[in-house]
Amino acid sequence: MWDEQTTADGGDEARGLIDALERALPGRVLWQAVDTSDYSHDRSHHTWAPAVAVVRATTTDDVAAAVRVCRAAGVPVIARGTGTGLEGGANALPGEADPITGVVPSRSRVVVIDLQGMSRILRIDPDSADATVEAGVRRSELNPVLAPHGVQFVAGPGVDASIGGMAATRASGTNAVKYGTMAENVRGLTVVMADGTVVRTGGRARKSSAGYDLTHLFIGSEGTLGIITELTLKLTPIPEARTLTVMSFPSVEAAARVVQRCLQVGVDLARAELLDTAQIAAINAYSHTDFREASTLFVELSGEARSLDGQAARLDVIADAEGVLERRTIDPADHERVWQVRHDALPAAQALRPDSYTWSTDVCVPIAHLAQCITETQADIVASGLLAPIAGHVGDGNFHLAFVLANGDDAERQRAAGLYRRMIRRALSFGGTCTGEHGIGEGKMSDLIDEHPTGVPVMRAIKRALDPEGLLNPGKMVDRRAE
């Protein structure tokens, strides 16, 4: 029953914990390292180690039972959805080295609670434009069920993440310029607290002034304050019509100014994505497309069919004024394929270089500073000799940079780290943020302190109040070991 490494790293304590979990949740506990490894990390480049156990939850009661068992044993827990994060927010961290031998345990002293089995759509009410779902439901599963009712759920990144994980990281994605982030599209939550109690926040009303806004306290908390198990979501009507245009420009500045001007004059952008020349080249090679290799915008307009011609004409006038090099109107039948090409930007970047890995990061700045921030970052990339394509949600001032680094090249990684720090400082100097949507995780904790030096102590106080034993996703967000 016990693999040798579990015994070596955890001994009687690990065996006792797993026995207790099996009694509470029979048949839903994994403990061998070969099984727990797949659940012990996200897609980031950050370090991890196999968890001592994984609980595959199917209900809120399962999550609460697992948390209570782990709390009794003093063992931390990490909630995990699909593992698509990019800052190590769901990583089981390696243990501390033995002070005498210097040996680092090969297993992380943590239990991962896998929420993917919580995949039920509990309720849909198109008349009130809301729905309640379990945390493991994916957006790709939700919208086909909503479509016959004429509504959709709009928030979320390009990857097929779980709804609960999207709320935990306050995800946004390409639709945020029109519809907002997860924070604007969640009305209420069910949350399992650090002691195993279950709390329900918010509700179905469109507004409320009843007490503290607990819903938005948990949204973006990355599982450090509680584990989100159910969500009540705001739904929006499916638009009558859409247009998608791909436009090439002589510079990033010109492309960014187009979107800035559209927002100033009220062009109703549904999506506005910017890709630099390096990223377009990567996409062409990876997805077998033939876009012009220049600074490029993917712009979608949506709404009533009768209004789109006027909106598109205003967009064209603004693009012409900025020297548009080429514009391509995408046939409606190809819209989803083209958006998938955009969503594949990260694997496309990595495919540029064999035997490599990606370090993907993001910042967000006020729109007026976006062009300068990207341009100065591009100059840094050229000076460093690194390969680092850029793509961004230009309508929000948010852009992503993907370092494509050679495996095992520490010098290259150090150059990337220096460029990364300059990019963060630059964004903060413009009044921006160290992350628009990737979250803090384990990778940006020092950046959070730089951004909010007076706010982090307040965050730590909230963490102490709700998780006094530090058992929820330790070593992330506001690491209490730094206190």
Side-chain angles (χ1 to χ4, degrees):
M1 178 177 180
W2 308 103
D3 67 75
E4 293 180 0
Q5 196 58 59
T6 297
T7 304
D9 285 344
D12 292 339
E13 179 186 7
R15 289 195 294 270
L17 171 66
I18 294 170
D19 281 343
L21 288 170
E22 276 283 5
R23 286 193 297 271
L25 298 151
R28 275 168 281 171
V29 183
L30 306 175
W31 63 84
Q32 295 190 17
V34 67
D35 296 320
T36 66
S37 292
D38 287 344
Y39 299 87
S40 299
H41 60 90
D42 59 18
R43 295 199 310 167
S44 72
H45 65 289
H46 297 295
T47 56
W48 62 277
V52 70
V54 173
V55 174
R56 293 179 292 184
T58 58
T59 66
T60 295
D61 287 344
D62 287 351
V63 176
V67 169
R68 287 193 294 268
V69 170
C70 291
R71 185 189 183 211
V75 173
V77 296
I78 297 175
R80 184 184 188 274
T82 56
T84 55
L86 293 168
E87 286 297 343
N91 283 10
L93 303 183
E96 299 292 332
D98 184 283
I100 298 176
T101 66
V103 175
V104 177
S106 61
R107 298 287 287 268
S108 177
R109 188 179 178 272
V110 68
V111 169
V112 171
I113 300 179
D114 171 36
L115 303 177
Q116 293 181 90
M118 298 186 64
S119 56
R120 293 182 300 162
I121 299 170
L122 302 172
R123 181 190 56 80
I124 299 171
D125 184 350
D127 293 330
S128 294
D130 66 11
T132 300
V133 304
E134 291 182 323
V137 172
R138 300 180 186 224
R139 185 177 168 213
S140 65
E141 299 167 337
L142 178 59
N143 276 326
V145 178
L146 297 177
H149 301 283
V151 291
Q152 61 180 340
F153 181 67
V154 291
V159 294
D160 194 14
S162 65
I163 302 293
M166 287 156 50
T169 56
R170 202 186 299 126
S172 49
T174 57
N175 284 310
V177 64
K178 182 169 185 172
Y179 296 106
T181 71
M182 283 296 291
E184 290 78 46
N185 288 280
V186 176
R187 290 181 175 164
L189 301 170
T190 299
V191 183
V192 175
M193 307 300 290
D195 62 357
T197 59
V198 178
V199 172
R200 289 178 174 81
T201 76
R204 295 183 58 199
R206 286 177 174 262
K207 65 178 182 178
S208 173
S209 58
Y212 297 131
D213 189 350
L214 297 182
T215 299
H216 289 91
L217 176 63
F218 289 109
I219 293 174
S221 66
E222 301 184 30
T224 62
L225 301 179
I227 298 175
I228 297 169
T229 59
E230 295 178 11
L231 308 92
T232 295
L233 307 174
K234 171 186 173 183
L235 307 178
T236 62
I238 296 173
E240 179 183 332
R242 290 186 172 96
T243 67
L244 173 58
T245 306
V246 178
M247 297 181 287
S248 304
F249 292 90
S251 67
V252 164
E253 297 100 312
R257 281 195 299 267
V258 168
V259 176
Q260 181 180 346
R261 183 61 179 155
C262 284
L263 294 171
Q264 288 171 337
V265 302
V267 175
D268 188 16
L269 301 175
R271 306 194 219 187
E273 297 292 299
L274 185 150
L275 301 94
D276 74 354
T277 302
Q279 185 65 73
I280 284 290
I283 281 174
N284 281 341
Y286 183 81
S287 299
H288 308 293
T289 50
D290 61 351
F291 297 119
R292 183 167 182 158
E293 294 186 2
S295 298
T296 300
L297 289 178
F298 287 23
V299 180
E300 180 176 286
L301 306 174
S302 67
E304 293 183 345
R306 63 184 180 182
S307 72
L308 289 191
D309 287 345
Q311 297 280 338
R314 298 170 76 192
L315 170 62
D316 284 344
V317 168
I318 293 169
D320 287 340
E322 293 296 341
V324 62
L325 302 173
E326 180 181 299
R327 60 168 57 87
R328 185 183 304 185
T329 301
I330 306 300
D331 187 276
D334 291 327
H335 281 193
E336 292 309 311
R337 182 185 66 83
V338 172
W339 280 119
Q340 187 58 53
V341 165
R342 162 63 186 93
H343 294 322
D344 287 339
L346 185 57
Q350 184 167 356
L352 289 170
R353 189 175 188 184
D355 193 25
S356 67
Y357 66 97
T358 54
W359 170 357
S360 179
T361 188
D362 78 317
V363 294
C364 189
V365 297
I367 298 292
H369 297 290
L370 179 65
Q372 182 180 354
C373 194
I374 294 179
T375 300
E376 291 181 9
T377 300
Q378 286 180 316
D380 259 1
I381 294 169
V382 171
S384 71
L386 295 169
L387 176 60
I390 290 175
H393 311 312
V394 64
D396 301 321
N398 180 200
F399 72 91
H400 306 257
L401 183 151
F403 296 108
V404 186
L405 305 174
N407 285 320
D409 191 331
D410 290 337
E412 192 170 70
R413 185 180 178 113
Q414 288 302 313
R415 293 206 308 277
L419 193 157
Y420 167 82
R421 287 300 309 148
R422 291 191 294 277
M423 184 177 70
I424 297 294
R425 288 196 297 269
R426 182 178 300 120
L428 296 183
S429 74
F430 289 139
T433 176
C434 66
T435 176
E437 59 185 15
H438 285 191
I440 299 299
E442 65 171 299
K444 292 200 173 192
M445 291 190 294
S446 63
D447 303 324
L448 180 64
I449 295 171
D450 289 344
E451 182 175 338
H452 294 296
T454 59
V456 167
V458 178
M459 297 180 201
R460 287 182 177 149
I462 295 170
K463 171 71 170 173
R464 282 194 301 272
L466 298 184
D467 181 18
E469 297 166 271
L471 297 180
L472 295 177
N473 207 5
K476 315 290 173 56
M477 184 75 79
V478 287
D479 187 0
R480 288 183 51 196
R481 291 175 297 182
E483 293 182 80

